[in-house]
Amino acid sequence: MAKSIDVSDLNIYYGDFLAVEGVNISIKARAVTALIGPSGCGKSTFLRSLNRMHEVIPGARAEGKVMVDGQDLYASDVDPVAVRRQIGMVFQRPNPFPTMSIYENVLAGKRLNAKKLKKSEADDLVEKSLRGANLWTEVKDRLGKPGMGLSGGQQQRLCIARAIAVEPEVLLMDEPCSALDPISTAAIEDLIHDLKSDYTIVIVTHNMQQAARVSDDTGFFNLRATGEPGQLVEFNPTKKMFTNPDNESTESYISGRFG
Amino acid sequence: MSVTDPETDLQPIGSTSRAGDTIFRGLATASAVVIVLALAGVAAFLLAQGLPALDGAGARSYGYDNIWVYTGPLLFGTLLASVIAMIVATPLAIGVALIISHYAPRRFAKGLGWLIDLLAAIPSVIFGMWGIEFVARNMVPVYNWLNDYLGFIPLFAGPVPTSGRTMMTAGLVLGVMALPIITAICREIFAQTPVMHQEAALALGATRWEMIRLAVFPYASSGMVSAILLGLGRALGETMAVALVLSPSIVVSFNLLTAESGSSSSTIAANIALNFGNASGSKVDALIFTGLVLFVITFAVNFLGRWVAARAVKKG
């Protein structure tokens, strides 16, 4: 089910402002790709362009090609709603629906897609998704309780369960651990490692150790100067990025000399 | 009103207080006191002047056995007109508020919001005239249609007057008048829906409407209820528009489409407006008593609306 993503010459604009320029990248299926770089360099913007979520902001648009399994996401006949059903997303701050129970949160996406869900099918899907998100044992006795009652880390895993319940091809994660404590972060990182066998995962992170721990490939985004568009400076296997990067600025960033 | 403040008399040496502070605080306190006094004064007036009508003298001089027989049908008419108004205004207001907060391009939304606010600024007597001259006349064919096809339901029984000045017209006009307040509050709450919940819905592949159902409505539900109650408060007390559209009558009638004397209800506010000028003695008391009833109900509805809103704030 997992798909690879090929991006060529992608420019992303907010109105007239060119935020990200000329991205070319090949994201492998069933692998974790980490995107790192200083704040404001466009890595989150780029991530959101992969499932057209950046279009939520008025005036945002993209030029170029994003091919997922031979289909261009930006072709004129492609509906962004359909794109987002195939490419799920997990956000920086856990955002379960506050009025819904844990059970209903997991099913929220599925209920949009499927017309009617049998009770037994729904139960199975909830269990499968929560197990997939390593949350089942912690919540199986309180599925009817509100999702907001969970801890931050559990809420984030609930959001992951909600995202994988619709069986997407790709999972995008926008700094999924930045609002979490180290123990919850470790739980999410373990989960990312498990999910890799079924999904293509792209993760934006500010934490370079995290990138080194979880990813197979790493992309480094940077700005040439303030006010200039962000660019993908280097994209290589994570091992190479963190030991012997091609680009000088990658090395200074990773070794903590700026950013 | 003079408020003597002991601090100004005994100002300690080296104090940083200025005359301006003292004056402003005095003015602000006085304003607050005046508001409380005004409300208490209105309540006291209604009680002092209205309660004597409980003996039934005023009602008898209008030809009714006791005050409740007189007030009851008016109260019924008031509620009926307001309920029609809410049925008309609520979906419209929520729709307009959604257009402004989530659908329209920003510039157009701003203009539309401004127009809706303008609607609130139109004096109610103008709504009344618009009700008689425009709504009533133009709704006659609709009323006839309703009467022809749904006339077996008592609500829509005939005959439909050619003037179109019926309970339904009054309710429609009230609905338009309550629209701005409901729209303004809903718009405000819809716009406050946390972006992260809207994005959560969109990222699951929700269309805009599905996103609104998943994220916006659950967040805004109690705010919507309180908006509707505040709109209801406005519709209940509205006078001129109803007074112009309906002829006064003391009768309980569910009939929305007819103006035959004795078969169409009127409202408390309109009844007071139409009769107060040539009332005297115990009749005045009876009218003031109906006013007291209206005061209590609008007060309760407004209070309930604010209570729901406040509870939502605490919860959320």
Side-chain angles (χ1 to χ4, degrees):
Chain A
M1 223 172 32
K3 302 272 170 70
S4 60
I5 306 171
D6 285 298
V7 178
S8 43
D9 299 324
L10 187 70
N11 294 328
I12 307 169
Y13 296 85
Y14 291 116
D16 294 332
F17 176 69
L18 179 61
V20 179
E21 186 181 25
V23 177
N24 288 289
I25 193 168
S26 274
I27 295 168
K28 289 204 290 273
R30 292 177 211 278
V32 178
T33 302
L35 305 175
I36 59 171
S39 297
C41 66
K43 57 194 187 305
S44 281
T45 298
F46 169 71
L47 185 80
R48 293 166 73 94
S49 74
L50 294 181
N51 71 342
R52 298 185 65 170
M53 273 299 288
H54 71 297
E55 289 172 19
V56 170
I57 297 159
R61 68 201 155 84
E63 286 168 4
K65 272 198 169 133
V66 178
M67 305 292 285
V68 175
D69 194 37
Q71 167 72 51
D72 184 4
L73 299 187
Y74 285 91
S76 57
D77 59 341
V78 171
D79 180 1
V81 169
V83 169
R84 293 175 201 142
R85 288 186 182 184
Q86 287 171 35
I87 304 180
M89 191 161 202
V90 175
F91 296 85
Q92 192 169 353
R93 284 179 61 200
N95 54 1
F97 295 116
T99 52
M100 288 185 195
S101 64
I102 295 169
Y103 187 91
E104 287 301 322
N105 259 293
V106 175
L107 288 178
K110 196 71 188 173
R111 289 214 197 283
L112 295 175
N113 295 310
K115 290 284 161 277
K116 202 80 182 155
L117 215 55
K118 275 200 217 104
K119 175 80 173 113
S120 59
E121 288 172 352
D123 289 349
D124 289 348
L125 180 64
V126 168
E127 181 173 346
K128 191 179 132 209
S129 307
L130 286 171
R131 278 192 196 282
N134 283 345
L135 191 61
W136 174 251
T137 47
E138 290 160 65
V139 301
K140 64 171 189 277
D141 300 322
R142 46 171 170 159
L143 294 174
K145 296 267 164 54
M148 293 301 274
L150 300 173
S151 75
Q154 289 173 323
Q155 286 186 26
Q156 194 63 299
R157 277 179 284 152
L158 176 60
C159 293
I160 294 173
R162 182 177 64 187
I164 61 179
V166 292
E167 295 166 345
E169 284 147 3
V170 179
L171 208 51
L172 307 176
M173 298 186 170
D174 190 358
E175 300 184 42
C177 301
S178 65
L180 304 181
D181 65 68
I183 293 171
S184 307
T185 300
I188 302 275
E189 286 182 10
D190 287 345
L191 175 57
I192 291 172
H193 199 78
D194 296 342
L195 290 171
K196 193 167 90 168
S197 52
D198 292 318
Y199 300 97
T200 304
I201 295 173
V202 186
I203 179 171
V204 164
T205 178
H206 266 294
N207 180 333
M208 269 165 302
Q209 284 78 18
Q210 183 170 64
R213 281 192 300 261
V214 301
S215 70
D216 302 293
D217 294 317
T218 299
F220 172 56
F221 278 80
N222 201 3
L223 302 167
R224 251 173 312 182
T226 340
E228 297 275 307
Q231 285 177 314
L232 178 64
V233 175
E234 181 170 350
F235 180 63
N236 265 319
T238 301
K239 207 168 264 171
K240 179 171 164 58
M241 283 293 263
F242 282 88
T243 52
N244 182 26
D246 290 335
N247 192 294
E248 203 178 321
S249 65
T250 313
E251 188 174 12
S252 349
Y253 182 74
I254 287 171
S255 57
R257 257 176 275 154
F258 82 98
Chain B
M1 178 182 284
S2 79
V3 179
T4 52
D5 189 340
E7 278 179 37
T8 49
D9 300 328
L10 298 166
Q11 202 165 58
I13 296 160
S15 156
T16 52
S17 93
R18 302 274 194 281
D21 286 331
T22 317
I23 293 168
F24 183 75
R25 191 172 66 179
L27 280 174
T29 314
S31 315
V33 169
V34 166
I35 286 173
V36 174
L37 285 180
L39 186 64
V42 169
F45 155 78
L46 286 172
L47 287 170
Q49 299 272 302
L51 288 182
L54 281 172
D55 68 7
R60 273 193 295 283
S61 53
Y62 274 119
Y64 298 89
D65 289 345
N66 65 53
I67 190 69
W68 298 110
V69 178
Y70 182 67
T71 313
L74 288 172
L75 179 57
F76 170 82
T78 306
L79 296 177
L80 184 61
S82 305
V83 166
I84 298 171
M86 286 306 105
I87 291 172
V88 174
T90 303
L92 219 74
I94 291 174
V96 174
L98 277 179
I99 292 276
I100 294 173
S101 68
H102 282 88
Y103 280 94
R106 195 163 296 173
R107 201 181 312 159
F108 176 72
K110 230 178 184 171
L112 189 61
W114 186 74
L115 277 180
I116 293 282
D117 289 342
L118 206 65
L119 209 56
I122 298 174
S124 65
V125 70
I126 292 175
F127 272 110
M129 293 192 295
W130 174 71
I132 302 176
E133 288 298 322
F134 184 82
V135 181
R137 261 168 236 252
N138 288 290
M139 285 303 285
V140 168
V142 179
Y143 294 162
N144 279 324
W145 185 88
L146 280 172
N147 180 236
D148 286 348
Y149 292 95
L150 298 169
F152 60 91
I153 304 170
L155 284 175
F156 304 120
V160 176
T162 48
S163 70
R165 290 165 62 176
T166 64
M167 188 50 121
M168 192 68 147
T169 305
L172 290 175
V173 175
L174 283 182
V176 176
M177 297 179 73
L179 193 63
I181 185 167
I182 307 179
T183 308
I185 298 173
C186 286
R187 174 182 72 188
E188 213 58 41
I189 301 164
F190 292 161
Q192 281 170 18
T193 311
V195 172
M196 63 176 199
H197 294 140
Q198 303 186 41
E199 288 190 337
L202 290 173
L204 286 171
T207 60
R208 194 152 358 179
W209 169 238
E210 287 167 337
M211 181 273 280
I212 285 166
R213 266 183 9 219
L214 268 178
V216 177
F217 282 163
Y219 172 81
S221 58
S222 53
M224 284 152 71
V225 171
S226 93
I228 292 163
L229 287 172
L230 291 175
L232 182 62
R234 157 130 193 174
L236 284 170
E238 180 44 48
T239 311
M240 278 325 292
V242 183
L244 288 179
V245 171
L246 290 180
S247 50
S249 65
I250 310 294
V251 63
V252 173
S253 166
F254 277 103
N255 200 319
L256 304 182
L257 297 184
T258 185
E260 296 280 286
S261 76
S263 59
S264 158
S265 295
S266 183
T267 75
I268 292 177
N271 184 61
I272 295 175
L274 293 167
N275 290 325
F276 206 82
N278 39 28
S280 61
S282 60
K283 286 184 172 178
V284 173
D285 291 349
L287 290 174
I288 292 178
F289 180 81
T290 61
L292 176 62
V293 171
L294 182 62
F295 177 79
V296 169
I297 288 175
T298 46
F299 200 82
V301 166
N302 271 290
F303 192 78
L304 192 68
R306 287 184 198 283
W307 180 72
V308 171
R311 213 182 45 144
V313 170
K314 234 178 272 163
K315 212 174 46 178

